[in-house]
Amino acid sequence: MGHVLVTGATGGIGRALVGALLEAGHRVTAVGRDVGRLDVPGIEADLADPGTLAAAVGALADTGELPDVQALVHCAGVSPVATVADTDPETWRRTLAVNVVSAAELVRLTLPSLRRSRGHVIFVNASPGMTGVPRWSAFVAGKAALRELADSLREEEAAHGVRVTTIHPGGTATDLLGEVRNAFGRPYDPELCIRPRTLAEMIVWVLGAPADAYACELSVLPSPR
Ligand SMILES: NC(=O)c1ccc[n+]([C@@H]2O[C@H](COP(=O)([O-])OP(=O)(O)OC[C@H]3O[C@@H](n4cnc5c(N)ncnc54)[C@H](OP(=O)(O)O)[C@@H]3O)[C@@H](O)[C@H]2O)c1
């Protein structure tokens, strides 16, 4: 049981994750754009502006809430569907900022605490093998960077006992997946997808592994129906 910092807590997967963490006895602080929409104590921040995170986290740290963070789960993400020809620099900037730069910045801000607790960083990435997808370049580029960030961080922080896990979920029944499938002209049947709650429970399981081993990568697919 520990104190877990979660991004994306207002989303389909993140909201289920917060519920599963609380049920498992963890304490949760969320980072989100509107603390009024969070189910737990929150840090108000726009992850599209990672440079503002230090002040936002610092404001809460003054209350004594943050120094004991034992895990960080980065679940926030945006997923624009457009060709490179139609993607402007602001879309690139926002996508990379939310999907990867904010993750690196939150790691930087919580590392002292994560090192003290020999804690755990979890990045929610994308489906296994998602590379080079036409009309999804900003998204897949960000997720590729997020995976490289995880792999670098894992080696850097091993000496401090910090574990780093990348989760690769397949289609999970959220509004975001419905919108993305629609943009690609592909069918979306939530019944054929992973339930957010199931994925959330798997993330809680990863966090709860015994001290001698952990899942550094986890690919999760919908079971064949
Ligand atoms: N659903 C799937 O099939 C699937 C599969 C593989 C990977 N994933 C990944 O899983 C993660 C969650 O996906 P989801 O389906 O749960 O999506 P979702 O329902 O759209 O949730 C996205 C979350 O990210 C937050 N977010 C977006 N932009 C933000 C910003 N600028 N500042 C702060 N927070 C921001 C959203 O907050 P707001 O409420 O403020 O917008 C929301 O909480 C994403 O990283 C996604 O790539 C999803």
Side-chain angles (χ1 to χ4, degrees):
M1 311 307 139
H3 183 190
V4 185
L5 187 66
V6 175
T7 69
T10 52
I13 294 171
R15 193 173 287 278
L17 176 62
V18 169
L21 286 166
L22 292 174
E23 275 177 36
H26 294 281
R27 192 153 60 87
V28 179
T29 299
V31 183
R33 287 191 271 205
D34 177 2
V35 285
R37 285 192 294 128
L38 298 169
D39 299 334
V40 288
I43 297 171
E44 193 155 278
D46 185 344
L47 298 180
D49 293 314
T52 63
L53 283 169
V57 168
L60 197 76
D62 286 345
T63 70
E65 283 278 337
L66 210 54
D68 62 346
V69 165
Q70 284 147 295
L72 164 67
V73 183
H74 180 62
C75 190
V78 290
S79 187
V81 176
T83 60
V84 175
D86 287 332
T87 305
D88 60 24
E90 176 58 11
T91 303
W92 275 100
R93 189 200 68 74
R94 288 187 66 84
T95 306
L96 295 177
V98 174
N99 290 12
V100 61
V101 181
S102 64
E105 177 63 351
L106 284 170
V107 166
R108 188 179 76 87
L109 295 170
T110 53
L111 257 184
S113 172
L114 291 169
R115 286 174 177 174
R116 266 196 308 277
S117 61
R118 301 178 76 78
H120 205 147
V121 175
I122 296 186
F123 294 141
V124 178
N125 203 294
S127 299
M130 184 96 73
T131 59
V133 183
R135 300 181 60 218
W136 224 5
S137 56
F139 177 76
V140 294
K143 293 299 192 184
L146 188 64
R147 180 177 175 168
E148 296 299 327
L149 168 63
D151 291 349
S152 302
L153 181 67
R154 185 178 302 114
E155 293 211 23
E156 286 176 9
E157 292 302 319
H160 300 284
V162 177
R163 288 157 289 169
V164 180
T165 296
T166 292
I167 309 271
H168 294 282
T172 305
T174 69
D175 292 346
L176 177 68
L177 183 65
E179 287 161 21
V180 167
R181 290 268 175 93
N182 185 46
F184 279 111
R186 289 181 55 202
Y188 170 59
D189 180 351
E191 293 300 316
L192 299 179
C193 298
I194 302 163
R195 287 190 214 109
R197 175 68 194 201
T198 304
L199 184 63
E201 284 173 8
M202 288 183 176
I203 296 173
V204 172
W205 174 80
V206 168
L207 280 175
D212 61 307
Y214 78 105
C216 62
E217 297 235 17
L218 185 68
S219 293
V220 183
L221 294 175
S223 296
R225 307 287 211 278

